[in-house]
Amino acid sequence: MVMLRRARCYVLVLMLLFVSHGTALRAQVAKRAPPDTLEFIEGQLVDVQGRKLENATVTAIYMTRADLVTTPPVVADGLGQFRIHKQALPFPIGGMAHLMVETKEGQHFEANVLINRGPLVVHFPTRIGAKISKVDDVAIGELAGTVIDHDGMPLEDVTVNEGYAHTGHETITDSSGQFRLKGFERDKKVEVIFSKPGYSPETFMQQPTGVAGWVVALGKQTYLEGKVSTPDDKPAVGALVRANQGPKLGKGFRRSELWTETKTDELGQYRLYLQPDAYSVDVEAEGVGVARFDKKPVSYGEVQKLDVVLKPGVQFRIKCIDSITGDPVPSVRLHHWQKKKLNAVSDAAGEVVLKNLMPGRFEFDVDPKGYTRWWSDRAMSEWKRKSIDKPALGWQRNFDDLDFDLSPGMAPVTIVFEKGVRIRGRVVDPDGNPVAGATAAPALTATGNSLTGDTRFSVVTKEDGTFEMLLPASNEAKYNLVAHDGKYQQWRNWANGVLPPIATVPGQEINDVEIKLTRGATVRGRVVDANGKPAVRCEVRAHAADLQESRYYDPTVKTNEDGVFELKFVRPGEQLIQCEPMYLDARQGPPQATVVLNLIEGQEVNDVKLVTGADPAQVRAGN
């Protein structure tokens, strides 16, 4: 199982300069937000009919120039009125705020509102007091509810899907508007999308499961409409009109793109129903032309007119070459999970030509045989050019997607490919017997993490315990191999085993590697919160202090109803036993949430006490 790729965060540091005329005056000068920003937003929470959401708890997520910022929760008054103060950076006027609300009855909803001066009216997609049959018997790990229209009538055949990027876990509402989606983890917050032709979709990025009585309302009041014409002013029939409301912040991930789409009719006309938000718009008619429009807010109940005249798209030419020899690299597949029609392959000369593309940013993945790194000095993002991701270690990443700024008449671009390192070997138990179904994975030495921030280079052993993997070369850095007894999130009989760090070069082959699993230790204990009460279903892990394992294969469990845990299969040596909150660098965890143990083979340690919810600002001394 491959984890989602690491979310990329960009931090903007703003230095506000204030002018004064003397020491006494300087001390009295108040810091003010720039004129195009606000120190706070205020408004009133209402449902689709304008009824007030009394005493609800509200949290805002808003986009600055560089990142998504989340505010602490506030409680609205009996009239649904609220005021949310800025967190790290001011609210940008003209931007959108994503508000998450929990009603006093425990129901959760999300809505988007245009940030402006003065009180805002925030319409949440529900209807208070709707006379319908609600779903009250909701199990743990289940998402269930009732979908209605603006007038409170049940909506049948609404698609309820677990997230934009997920397929295979969806359902539709029945004649009473009810639905159920099962199979989630306890207390999980999920991304869920409601959609039905002729209605505005509703997306919830962090919807709790196991909550009864949820009622979601879909309306028809918010949309774009217009006509799409060809370059010679004829109706563009069947043109694809798409609107992107990303980025969005889910629980533990960031969604960069979130699209809603429709097609034009025989007259070239369209109507695209939207959830209130800010959208960029792409329009494309295959073989005819394209158009792209920058992000623009669409408020609740707003109808915007957008007529489009298509223009010929960009021709994008690519040359694929080997990093060592400069020779052409054939058979490189270019693809994108959202753009199903993008499936091009480089020819014998290493060349690819893509036609009729949108101007502006173009992003895609590559799949070259035998190569594990790629970069281009023409890439838009600096980290997609040749770069050292971790200078202290000398580690070069350059194995993610690529992006380019497309424009008419642009020159061809060159993508450089570096050959991978092929490693063959086997995983054995402590007695030297081959272990089938184990995982062999690389770890970036001295980080306690994988090479990639996910598990994409992990492989599972065959029946005879053998494996073969293709890794990026370490070049100036070092990495080591880890063996885990089981697949991702599976622990069977043995503790992890590690090999010493190695340095590799492009194209190298290493054979007859043997990784031996170990006889582990067992650690038992209890987790409490800051008030000394049991921390229920709190995650606990063992993280090796030598930083030669990957955090994806750390022994991990959750506490029971009494806050008690048992960690098995812990590799001998110095281990950090930790509870939530977990840190990417385990050494930066709060002291109360971490206990350091030096374990030996077969040892059992009891009565370990950990405290969750500790102050994140507290950092373990000496680390």
Side-chain angles (χ1 to χ4, degrees):
M1 175 180 178
V2 177
M3 300 283 287
L4 290 175
R5 292 182 178 178
R6 66 176 186 175
R8 302 177 181 91
C9 299
Y10 313 88
V11 180
L12 176 65
V13 179
L14 296 182
M15 300 182 63
L16 303 178
L17 303 178
F18 298 90
V19 179
S20 62
H21 301 283
T23 304
L25 179 60
R26 186 181 301 116
Q28 301 175 25
V29 174
K31 294 182 179 180
R32 295 186 177 90
D36 58 344
T37 61
L38 300 174
E39 292 288 332
F40 62 85
I41 56 173
E42 60 182 350
Q44 187 176 45
L45 311 176
V46 299
D47 70 0
V48 293
Q49 292 288 346
R51 295 181 178 87
K52 295 178 282 292
L53 273 67
E54 304 172 358
N55 307 121
T57 300
V58 194
T59 301
I61 300 175
Y62 59 100
M63 185 74 188
T64 67
R65 292 182 181 179
D67 207 357
L68 290 167
V69 177
T70 302
T71 68
V74 300
V75 179
D77 64 18
L79 297 176
Q81 296 173 341
F82 68 92
R83 174 178 284 187
I84 301 177
H85 289 269
K86 71 178 180 67
Q87 182 62 6
L89 298 168
F91 294 94
I93 294 176
M96 299 294 293
H98 180 73
L99 301 187
M100 298 185 292
V101 64
E102 180 179 358
T103 69
K104 59 183 180 180
E105 294 82 17
Q107 304 301 313
H108 294 255
F109 300 96
E110 300 178 24
N112 305 300
V113 64
L114 178 65
I115 299 172
N116 219 325
R117 299 186 188 277
L120 311 171
V121 178
V122 186
H123 291 83
F124 280 86
T126 190
R127 181 169 176 175
I128 299 172
K131 299 183 183 301
I132 56 168
S133 176
K134 298 181 180 179
V135 182
D136 294 320
D137 57 332
V138 182
I140 293 172
E142 182 180 28
L143 190 68
T146 307
V147 184
I148 60 174
D149 64 14
H150 183 271
D151 298 318
M153 300 300 294
L155 271 180
E156 188 176 6
D157 293 332
V158 175
T159 298
V160 185
N161 186 41
E162 184 204 347
Y164 177 65
H166 192 96
T167 57
H169 198 189
E170 62 272 332
T171 188
I172 60 172
T173 57
D174 60 20
S175 58
S176 61
Q178 296 185 352
F179 69 93
R180 293 179 184 271
L181 274 177
K182 302 178 183 290
F184 299 101
E185 294 180 9
R186 177 195 287 262
D187 302 326
K188 183 177 180 180
K189 291 185 177 181
V190 301
E191 177 189 12
V192 59
I193 300 176
F194 296 86
S195 60
K196 180 179 173 70
Y199 291 84
S200 294
E202 291 290 342
T203 298
F204 299 84
M205 295 303 300
Q206 300 186 37
Q207 185 61 32
T209 59
V211 178
W214 194 32
V215 179
V216 177
L218 301 187
K220 298 183 174 183
Q221 295 79 25
T222 309
Y223 54 87
L224 295 179
E225 66 177 2
K227 181 180 180 180
V228 180
S229 303
T230 65
D232 56 356
D233 202 29
K234 295 179 181 179
V237 180
L240 180 64
V241 183
R242 309 174 74 220
N244 175 31
Q245 64 188 111
K248 291 295 177 187
L249 194 65
K251 188 65 175 178
F253 70 94
R254 174 177 166 138
R255 176 82 58 223
S256 59
E257 297 179 331
L258 185 61
W259 294 92
T260 303
E261 60 186 43
T262 189
K263 288 190 174 183
T264 57
D265 61 18
E266 65 277 2
L267 299 177
Q269 297 176 340
Y270 73 93
R271 175 175 289 184
L272 181 61
Y273 288 96
L274 298 173
Q275 177 183 18
D277 210 339
Y279 292 88
S280 58
V281 178
D282 287 358
V283 186
E284 177 182 2
E286 189 171 0
V288 177
V290 298
R292 172 169 282 171
F293 299 88
D294 292 337
K295 190 172 284 290
K296 183 178 180 182
V298 180
S299 299
Y300 178 84
E302 184 179 4
V303 175
Q304 289 193 12
K305 188 78 171 178
L306 181 63
D307 290 329
V308 180
V309 177
L310 299 176
K311 295 182 179 180
V314 175
Q315 179 171 279
F316 184 39
R317 292 172 291 169
I318 301 170
K319 177 75 172 181
C320 303
I321 64 170
D322 185 280
S323 65
I324 304 298
T325 66
D327 293 337
V329 180
S331 304
V332 176
R333 187 170 76 93
L334 280 60
H335 59 97
H336 191 285
W337 68 275
Q338 290 175 315
K339 303 176 178 70
K340 304 303 181 185
K341 293 182 180 179
L342 176 60
N343 192 17
V345 178
S346 62
D347 60 19
E351 296 179 353
V352 181
V353 179
L354 302 173
K355 299 180 179 179
N356 203 38
L357 299 180
M358 290 279 182
R361 185 183 183 192
F362 179 63
E363 188 175 27
F364 58 90
D365 292 295
V366 298
D367 184 15
K369 296 179 180 179
Y371 292 83
T372 51
R373 276 200 185 93
W374 42 85
W375 60 87
S376 175
D377 60 6
R378 294 275 301 279
M380 284 186 67
S381 301
E382 182 180 353
W383 57 93
K384 297 178 183 181
R385 306 166 203 156
K386 186 175 184 179
S387 59
I388 301 301
D389 182 57
K390 297 183 184 299
L393 300 176
W395 176 246
Q396 179 187 350
R397 189 174 174 89
N398 288 130
F399 36 65
D400 298 304
D401 53 12
L402 293 170
D403 58 2
F404 295 90
D405 186 11
L406 304 191
S407 60
M410 67 183 295
V413 304
T414 298
I415 303 175
V416 180
F417 291 86
E418 181 186 87
K419 285 185 177 179
V421 176
R422 196 168 300 277
I423 302 178
R424 303 178 182 90
R426 68 172 187 159
V427 174
V428 299
D429 67 17
D431 297 318
N433 302 307
V435 180
T439 297
L444 184 57
T445 306
T447 68
N449 202 352
S450 66
L451 304 183
T452 58
D454 54 41
T455 62
R456 77 184 78 170
F457 289 119
S458 298
V459 296
V460 176
T461 60
K462 299 177 181 179
E463 288 297 320
D464 59 356
T466 60
F467 66 87
E468 180 176 329
M469 59 173 61
L470 186 69
L471 303 180
S474 69
N475 293 324
E476 300 302 319
K478 288 186 177 181
Y479 50 62
N480 61 273
L481 299 188
V482 181
H484 169 71
D485 188 18
K487 297 179 181 179
Y488 171 70
Q489 292 188 327
Q490 179 188 29
W491 290 267
R492 300 188 300 187
N493 302 304
W494 308 109
N496 294 344
V498 299
L499 291 182
I502 58 174
T504 60
V505 296
Q508 185 176 357
E509 293 197 11
I510 303 174
N511 297 307
D512 301 323
V513 169
E514 183 176 275
I515 317 175
K516 183 174 288 189
L517 297 167
T518 58
R519 290 184 173 88
T522 300
V523 179
R524 302 181 184 91
R526 189 166 182 259
V527 182
V528 298
D529 63 19
N531 298 317
K533 296 181 179 180
V536 179
R537 296 195 62 76
C538 178
E539 194 167 89
V540 183
R541 73 175 177 184
H543 188 81
D546 63 11
L547 301 180
Q548 291 191 18
E549 295 189 39
S550 166
R551 63 191 176 95
Y552 292 99
Y553 303 104
D554 285 345
T556 306
V557 296
K558 288 189 177 181
T559 58
N560 65 14
E561 299 300 319
D562 297 317
V564 173
F565 68 88
E566 181 182 58
L567 275 173
K568 296 181 178 180
F569 317 120
V570 182
R571 182 167 67 93
E574 188 175 345
Q575 293 278 347
L576 280 65
I577 310 302
Q578 297 183 313
C579 68
E580 300 177 42
M582 303 297 188
Y583 285 72
L584 185 61
D585 184 342
R587 297 165 296 181
Q588 293 182 349
Q592 300 95 322
T594 302
V595 170
V596 179
L597 298 176
N598 204 331
L599 302 171
I600 61 175
E601 181 181 297
Q603 184 178 4
E604 295 188 12
V605 178
N606 300 305
D607 301 324
V608 170
K609 182 180 177 181
L610 303 172
V611 181
T612 187
D615 182 1
Q618 292 180 308
V619 179
R620 176 168 297 278
N623 291 319

